[in-house]
């Protein structure tokens, strides 16, 4: 019997390992797991009975003690690693290394969260296996403010709670603040932040667009329409309306911002008078002018009103020869802005681009009226000028002639404030003005270009005196693909498949020869 006992130990360990492996795979305890373990245990006992003295000698040997020491050290190291992992789980620190900060909250979201005055509750109705997918994002929100609370509810386990909230679909998130609830079915940062904005606003402000003068249609899906702008305005919890100053006694009382988007005909004197009265009472307006140098009749420039804010619209068309526009197929008649001032509208824009086709320049008057502040927040590069000769523009052979042409950089967007005689709809005793030398930048075909849409919405938010909404909106993942030419692809293939291996092989041969 003893001569077979030396095999029993090895077989016993194999049977026990097989039993544990089967149990790990099946996650149950049945005869398939118990029998191998029992056989393995019996074989080990059989081995110990006939080899007990050898086992004792091995345990008391120097090699066994060294093995035991190594085992203890391993256990200690694993314990330290586990403790470090526990601390890391309790005290999270994250670093977003993506170029677009894809996994970080936007400044807009942080501002909205920072403005919370009471506890905001998020009730997320997700099945258990779906909860981890959005839990990280909720943790990011909660790290900004302690007023952000969230919990997950599995609608299958608590259907009564789902009915109470009126939830009928999986992956529904209910945002609750004070007595208001907002439901969303996608948990992207943009949707979640917009839902928070909706429930935290006491009332909706209204943005009016003027009509009857050929302005861009706010509900048009055409290329020059502004339906994309209207959608963005509504997503920020504003209401949108239109007003004809001809048919009304004046600008509506509930108007937070009046937008004149590319008027093609002059306003009548009574309309201008209503507009002046609205601004004198603390109103806010956005003037989106167009260059009228190439049109049959001059386009309205609102010079009288704008001069009261220290702004002069110029009768020219900006030509930009910086070459930036050529990167996306645009000509010099589409100036591109990549540098901005530190105004609240463009504070976080960095080097993002905005484009303005067929734009006119603006000048801030040196001698501004009392109580007026004016600042250009978007200007062209120094490689641009304001062409004032329509004949040169029509012929396509333009040359800068200073003066009357204007040297760049030229202002394309100006923000101004002026003391008002009364508090406006936004609660301020200052009237606010934003003037753009172009209206097409916010049209449907350019609204999504780079930061055009963000610039328009930031200007709306500044005029409505809701600076907490002014920031870079939640961003999409940056497309970081590399476009290679055929020669570039071949060069990379030659270097990676031939030159680098040959270099390594040659180094190895050189070392071998030198050692010999």
């Amino acid at each position: 019997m003893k001569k077979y006992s030396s095999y029993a130990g090895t077989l016993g360990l194999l049977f026990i390992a097989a039993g544990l492996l089967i149990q790990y795979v099946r996650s149950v305890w049945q005869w398939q797991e118990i029998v191998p373990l029992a056989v393995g245990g019996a074989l080990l006992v059989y081995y110990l009975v006939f080899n007990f003295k050898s086992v004792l000698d091995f345990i008391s040997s120097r090699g066994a003690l060294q093995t035991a020491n190594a085992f203890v050290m391993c256990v200690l190291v694993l314990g330290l690693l586990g403790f470090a992992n526990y601390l890391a789980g309790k005290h999270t620190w994250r670093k977003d290394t993506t170029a677009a900060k894809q996994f970080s909250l936007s400044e807009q979201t942080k501002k909205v969260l920072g403005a919370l005055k009471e506890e905001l509750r998020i009730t997320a109705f997700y099945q258990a296996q779906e909860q981890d997918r959005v839990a990280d994002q909720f943790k990011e929100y909660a790290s900004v403010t302690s007023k952000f609370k969230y919990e997950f509810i599995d609608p299958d386990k608590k259907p009564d709670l789902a009915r109470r909230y009126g939830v009928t679909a999986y992956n529904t998130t209910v945002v609750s603040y004070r007595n208001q609830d907002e439901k969303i079915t996608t948990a992207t940062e943009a949707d979640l932040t917009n839902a928070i904005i909706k429930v935290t606003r006491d009332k909706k402000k209204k943005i009016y667009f003027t009509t009857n003068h050929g302005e861009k249609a706010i509900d048009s899906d055409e290329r020059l329409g502004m339906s994309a702008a209207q959608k963005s305005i509504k997503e920020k919890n504003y209401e949108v309306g239109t007003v004809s100053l001809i048919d009304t006694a004046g600008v509506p009382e509930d108007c937070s911002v009046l937008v004149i988007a590319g008027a093609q005909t002059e306003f009548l004197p009574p309309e201008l008078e209503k507009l002046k009265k609205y601004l004198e009472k603390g109103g806010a307006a956005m003037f989106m002018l167009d260059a009228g140098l190439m049109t049959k009749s001059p386009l309205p420039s609102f010079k009288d009103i704008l001069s009261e804010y220290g702004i002069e619209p110029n009768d020219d068309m900006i030509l930009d020869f910086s070459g930036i526009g050529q990167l996306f197929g645009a000509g010099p008649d589409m100036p591109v802005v990549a540098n901005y001032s530190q105004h609240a509208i463009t504070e976080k824009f960095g080097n993002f681009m905005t484009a303005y086709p067929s734009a006119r320049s603006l000048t801030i008057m040196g001698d501004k009226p009392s109580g007026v502040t004016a600042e250009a927040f978007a200007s062209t590069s120094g490689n641009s000028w304001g062409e004032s000769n329509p004949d040169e523009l029509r012929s396509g052979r333009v040359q800068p002639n200073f003066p009357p042409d204007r040297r760049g950089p030229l202002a394309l967007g100006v923000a101004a404030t002026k003391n008002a005689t009364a508090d406006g709809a936004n609660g301020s005793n200052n009237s606010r003005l934003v003037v753009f030398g172009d209206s097409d930048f916010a049209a449907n075909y350019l609204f999504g270009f780079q930061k055009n849409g963000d610039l328009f919405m930031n200007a709306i938010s500044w005029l409505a005196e809701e600076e907490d909404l002014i920031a870079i909106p939640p961003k999409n993942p940056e497309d970081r693909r590399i476009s290679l030419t055929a020669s570039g692809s071949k060069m990379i293939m030659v270097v990676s498949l031939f030159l680098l291996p040959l270099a390594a092989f040659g180094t190895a041969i050189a070392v071998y020869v030198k050692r010999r």
Side-chain angles (χ1 to χ4, degrees), residues 343-394:
H343 192 273
I345 295 175
T346 51
E347 184 180 3
K348 303 293 183 181
F349 265 45
N351 293 324
F352 288 119
M353 293 186 290
T354 50
Y356 312 80
S358 303
R360 70 162 71 191
S361 65
L362 306 170
T363 298
I364 297 178
M365 300 163 61
D367 187 15
K368 293 188 286 293
S370 175
V372 169
T373 65
E375 180 181 349
F377 56 82
S379 301
T380 61
S381 70
N383 295 321
S384 62
W385 78 83
E387 178 59 52
S388 57
N389 189 333
D391 294 331
E392 288 189 12
L393 290 171
R394 291 190 184 95

Side-chain angles (χ1 to χ4, degrees), residues 22 28 95 112 122 135 161 192 194 232 240 268 301-302 305 337 393 409 418 426 432 490:
I22 295 172
V28 294
K95 177 68 176 176
V112 171
I122 301 293
L161 204 54
L192 185 56
N194 284 330
S232 290
V240 179
L268 300 176
S301 61
F302 303 95
I305 292 178
V337 174
L393 290 171
K418 182 181 178 183
N426 299 321
R432 293 191 175 193
K490 289 179 180 178

